[in-house]
Amino acid sequence: MPLICLVRHGQASGAARDYGVLSDLGRAQASVVGHELARRGLRDPHLVAGTLNRQRDTARIAAEAAGFHGPLHRDARWNEYDHLALLDRYAPPPDGERSVQDLLDHALAEWMRDPDPAGGGTWTAFAEGARAALAELSATLGRGRDAVVFTSAGLLAAVCGALLSLPDEGAVALNRVAVNASVTTLVVGGSGTTLLTFNEHAHFAGDRRRMLTYR
């Protein structure tokens, strides 16, 4: 049965307005996850990435490390939501006690409850786009071919939340714990696509533990 590996991008720049650019650590993480993907012996992997720089750069570095030579297909449905816009729209003013992650969790929850966001799409449309991209990819894979998708935490949360039949709020918890350059594995079978593992990051254990990041 085909496998689909969903890879979160490496750590992006700490400068908020440069969040599309991988940090030095993010590039190193992308190389490590590439070696991890090579270890798995994926079959003629079909490579897909969102169109954001951090996603495409992670894909390029990881593919080189893994020895994958196929073309990289781009699909904007794997792009992340605009977290800066969500924070501007929904987050309460910083009070010195709440972390950026807490503010983002609050903003995501508010977005999920907003039926008509001003100046942006709904969470429902975002999640439906992710599910449609996954369904299309699953349908195109033959029995002897796997896939790797380079995407972001929000997409992972939306897809896995749907596969686990979680309420929308459950995606907030999944989004919060997604590790940079982690691997989430799905299996495509006769009864549909199933979540096999979520947020694997053993490739950042031991001597590489210092490379583990969430944001």
Side-chain angles (χ1 to χ4, degrees):
M1 292 185 289
L3 297 177
I4 300 176
C5 293
L6 305 178
V7 178
R8 189 189 176 200
H9 62 78
Q11 183 191 61
S13 170
R17 299 298 170 180
D18 280 339
Y19 194 71
V21 179
L22 292 181
S23 67
D24 290 342
L25 176 56
R27 289 190 287 273
Q29 290 168 335
S31 180
V32 169
V33 76
H35 288 291
E36 168 61 19
L37 292 169
R39 185 190 67 80
R40 298 180 179 216
L42 300 175
R43 301 163 299 174
D44 186 25
H46 179 80
L47 305 180
V48 185
T51 64
L52 302 177
N53 287 339
R54 61 187 182 273
Q55 297 169 336
R56 292 187 290 108
D57 289 346
T58 298
R60 175 182 56 79
I61 295 168
E64 182 177 353
F68 298 154
H69 302 295
L72 178 64
H73 304 272
R74 300 179 185 180
D75 185 341
R77 290 175 297 181
W78 293 107
N79 285 3
E80 184 65 295
Y81 52 75
D82 185 342
H83 73 288
L84 295 176
L86 292 188
L87 289 170
D88 287 343
R89 188 179 305 138
Y90 298 112
D95 57 11
E97 296 183 2
R98 304 182 71 176
S99 68
V100 172
Q101 184 60 57
D102 288 338
L103 294 174
L104 180 57
D105 289 350
H106 175 87
L108 273 173
E110 290 298 311
W111 181 34
M112 290 171 177
R113 290 190 285 266
D114 190 344
D116 187 23
T122 63
W123 163 262
T124 298
F126 172 80
E128 287 177 348
R131 293 194 293 269
L134 175 62
E136 184 177 304
L137 176 60
S138 298
T140 62
L141 293 177
R143 293 181 62 85
R145 192 174 197 196
D146 300 318
V148 182
V149 180
F150 298 89
T151 184
S152 297
L155 275 294
L156 293 172
V159 165
C160 293
L163 292 175
L164 294 172
S165 300
L166 297 179
D168 286 342
E169 292 77 9
V172 176
L174 296 177
N175 183 82
R176 185 182 184 96
V177 299
V179 168
N180 289 119
S182 61
V183 182
T184 291
T185 305
L186 315 178
V187 61
V188 183
S191 59
T193 301
T194 304
L195 177 64
L196 192 60
T197 66
F198 171 69
N199 202 33
E200 299 171 77
H201 54 276
H203 42 290
F204 296 124
D207 292 343
R208 294 199 185 105
R209 186 173 178 81
R210 60 181 176 77
M211 300 179 70
L212 181 70
T213 59
Y214 296 87
R215 296 290 174 265

